[in-house]
Amino acid sequence: GQNIDQPTEMTATEGAIVQINCTYQTSGFNGLFWYQQHAGEAPTFLSYNVLDGLEEKGRFSSFLSRSKGYSYLLLKELQMKDSASYLCAVRAHQTGANNLFFGTGTRLTVIP
Amino acid sequence: GAGVSQSPSNKVTEKGKDVELRCDPISGHTALYWYRQSLGQGLEFLIYFQGNSAPDKSGLPSDRFSAERTGGSVSTLTIQRTQQEDSAVYLCASSSRGQGYEKLFFGSGTQLSVL
């Protein structure tokens, strides 16, 4: 099975930097995704990591350590529109197919 | 359309009734997923279709839940004898392999309310 943990809620100030952590335990690991979900909307893709290290994409970066079963999403220069839930998802190769399992999400509130 | 389409967007039903939820994936996407999201919660995996392979049904919570995918395209999720705990947003996603990895595109979901 999969066990994906992330904090339930976080609050940060506009213009600041915030790091959202995700730890996982899974068999057949085959990649880690971060999705953003605004209230009442569908999740949208943010980032993908399959090798160790940091992937940077504008204000957002994502890090992966496979040996530690650990990832984080780093958001820089926070904007009010970044208030959303951030979902960590692990792809696992099981029963001959790749499936994608989500954590419960971290609800980020950006305050002025 | 260009995105994943789900219908209906909202469904209110009485306890004990059957419901069908529909998902139209992006054309050409071979993989299709169903997830369930309760208020303020994460995404709970239900079922996964990949091409012509047998679906991964390991996430279906009970035998009241079933899904099919006809012709490798449209999918229908059926919930029989609905219960109040079935109330949730049901999200469908399809995926493509671009840039060497598989990225999911989600529909807007069906909000199911069981009274």
Side-chain angles (χ1 to χ4, degrees), chain A residues 2 18 29 37 39 53-54 64-65 71 75-76 78 80 83 94 97 111:
Chain A
Q2 296 73 37
V18 70
F29 176 82
Q37 186 178 27
L54 189 68
L64 175 67
S65 169
S71 172
L75 291 74
K76 303 175 186 176
L78 280 173
M80 299 300 290
S83 292
Q94 298 177 333
I111 58 176

Side-chain angles (χ1 to χ4, degrees), chain A residues 49-62:
Chain A
N49 295 70
V50 68
L51 299 177
D52 290 352
L54 189 68
E55 294 283 341
E56 297 186 76
K57 189 186 295 185
R59 295 189 298 114
F60 292 7
S61 303
S62 57

Side-chain angles (χ1 to χ4, degrees), chain A residues 30 33 35 37 40-45 47-48 57 87 91 94-95 97-105 107, chain B residues 33 35 37 40-45 48 50 56 58 91 95 97 99-109:
Chain A
N30 197 20
F33 293 77
Y35 280 78
Q37 186 178 27
E41 298 182 11
T44 56
F45 170 83
S47 69
Y48 170 75
K57 189 186 295 185
L87 308 174
R91 181 170 295 288
Q94 298 177 333
T95 61
N98 284 310
N99 207 337
L100 191 64
F101 299 93
F102 284 80
T104 55
R107 187 181 310 164
Chain B
Y33 301 75
Y35 291 90
Q37 187 172 35
Q41 301 298 310
L43 274 66
E44 175 189 2
F45 165 71
Y48 164 48
Q50 173 59 278
D56 179 352
S58 60
L91 288 164
S95 68
R97 179 169 289 276
Q99 299 174 306
Y101 57 87
E102 192 173 340
K103 185 164 83 173
L104 266 64
F105 294 82
F106 283 85
S108 298

Side-chain angles (χ1 to χ4, degrees), chain A residues 9-79:
Chain A
E9 293 192 14
M10 297 183 72
T11 302
T13 305
E14 189 177 14
I17 299 173
V18 70
Q19 177 174 312
I20 303 174
N21 297 324
C22 171
T23 58
Y24 64 90
Q25 292 176 307
T26 188
S27 56
F29 176 82
N30 197 20
L32 187 140
F33 293 77
W34 285 93
Y35 280 78
Q36 180 189 58
Q37 186 178 27
H38 285 99
E41 298 182 11
T44 56
F45 170 83
L46 284 180
S47 69
Y48 170 75
N49 295 70
V50 68
L51 299 177
D52 290 352
L54 189 68
E55 294 283 341
E56 297 186 76
K57 189 186 295 185
R59 295 189 298 114
F60 292 7
S61 303
S62 57
F63 172 83
L64 175 67
S65 169
R66 288 171 298 171
S67 62
K68 295 181 180 178
Y70 168 68
S71 172
Y72 67 72
L73 180 69
L74 193 71
L75 291 74
K76 303 175 186 176
E77 301 168 18
L78 280 173
Q79 302 176 8

Side-chain angles (χ1 to χ4, degrees), chain B residues 3-21:
Chain B
V4 177
S5 177
Q6 292 187 244
S7 61
S9 55
N10 279 282
K11 177 71 176 178
V12 180
T13 190
E14 294 179 349
K15 178 182 173 181
K17 300 280 190 181
D18 297 352
V19 295
E20 282 190 355
L21 312 180

